[in-house]
Amino acid sequence: MESMSFDLVFYLRKVLGTLVLPPTGPLLAAFAGLMLLGRRPKLGRALAWLGFTTLLVLCVPVVSDKLIETLDDSGPLDFAAARTAQAIVVPGGGMRRDALEYGGDTVGRFTLERVRYGAWVARRTGLPVLVSGGVVYGGTSEAQVMQKTLTDEFGIAVKWAEAQSRNTHENALRSAEILRGAGVRRIVLISHGFDMRRARAEFEAAGMEVVPAPTMLTHATFGGPGDLIPSVSALRQSYLALYELLANAVRHVGM
């Protein structure tokens, strides 16, 4: 019964996040405004313009760059600190299911970026590696695919594979259980710059001492008029930034 309740909370968070975040959130606001135009024209116009304007602004590269930069505060890996760690932890960042060219499941873009950087750090530190990621919607566990990628494509052996977690919170709890059993307390944590703040907080709350090793660090600079033209890539970056801001807020209120 407790497991069913936890599953309900897990999926409810995902649904609510989808409804609030772009593009769905602004589109729902605009749609609600259009539906209200006949009965409440002022409110309807306000909601429609709010939804449209919000979506447009979030598609502008200079806006999305600034949003992501507010989260990216770790800086590059401190190798002096990394040498005091006992292991490298690489949490998953998403899968590509049934990838035709690979003949099955493989790592998604964000997971690949983490795996690649994890391999780079592992070669330079000689630390053992733990990969973390389970199954959310069926198929092969993320940890299994990450382990295969690290071994076959990067030549890095994986010492531990945690294959039960479904999100960052569970990555931290379940990875910490494995690492404590191996006498590991201090880790190099691989994640993206934009979500390192939350990942680090989760692993520290699970009892780990963390040396942050963020990848894909950002530095917002104005590149000219092109940065004022809306784009799909900018909207995706805005989504990632807002997702992290929302997740950090939810974590602080203990939901």
Side-chain angles (χ1 to χ4, degrees), residues 27-111:
L27 287 174
L28 285 175
F31 179 73
L34 293 175
M35 295 296 291
L36 287 170
L37 282 177
R39 291 174 293 169
R40 302 281 299 277
K42 287 186 177 180
L43 178 60
R45 283 194 296 272
L47 283 174
W49 276 110
L50 175 65
F52 171 77
T53 304
T54 300
L55 191 58
L56 178 62
V57 168
L58 292 175
C59 289
V60 177
V62 70
V63 173
S64 67
D65 286 347
K66 285 296 183 183
L67 280 173
I68 211 81
E69 192 180 39
T70 64
L71 295 158
D72 199 345
D73 60 1
S74 295
L77 171 62
D78 180 348
F79 273 95
R83 293 185 186 96
T84 69
Q86 298 163 282
I88 296 169
V89 176
V90 188
M95 295 271 286
R96 277 189 64 203
R97 297 294 182 189
D98 299 319
L100 295 178
E101 71 273 35
Y102 288 99
D105 297 342
T106 188
V107 290
R109 169 194 161 188
F110 293 122
T111 303

Side-chain angles (χ1 to χ4, degrees), residues 14 40 60 72 88 92 118 122-123 132 162 166 176 183 196 213 237 241 248:
K14 283 193 168 292
R40 302 281 299 277
V60 177
D72 199 345
I88 296 169
R123 285 197 189 94
S132 175
E162 182 287 300
R166 299 171 298 177
M196 179 56 78
Q237 186 164 267
N248 281 321

Side-chain angles (χ1 to χ4, degrees), residues 89-97 106-115 129-136 141-147 150 161-172 175 189-192 194-195 198-199 203 215 243-244:
V89 176
V90 188
M95 295 271 286
R96 277 189 64 203
R97 297 294 182 189
T106 188
V107 290
R109 169 194 161 188
F110 293 122
T111 303
L112 179 59
E113 290 169 350
R114 294 179 185 185
V115 162
V129 176
L130 179 146
V131 293
S132 175
V135 177
V136 178
S141 75
E142 195 168 17
Q144 184 179 340
V145 175
M146 292 166 72
Q147 182 172 15
L150 274 166
E162 182 287 300
Q164 302 299 317
S165 56
R166 299 171 298 177
N167 54 32
T168 305
H169 177 67
E170 293 181 13
N171 287 149
S175 297
L189 179 62
I190 308 290
S191 194
H192 282 77
F194 62 80
D195 71 353
R198 180 167 59 93
F203 275 84
T215 187
Y243 178 94
E244 284 303 315

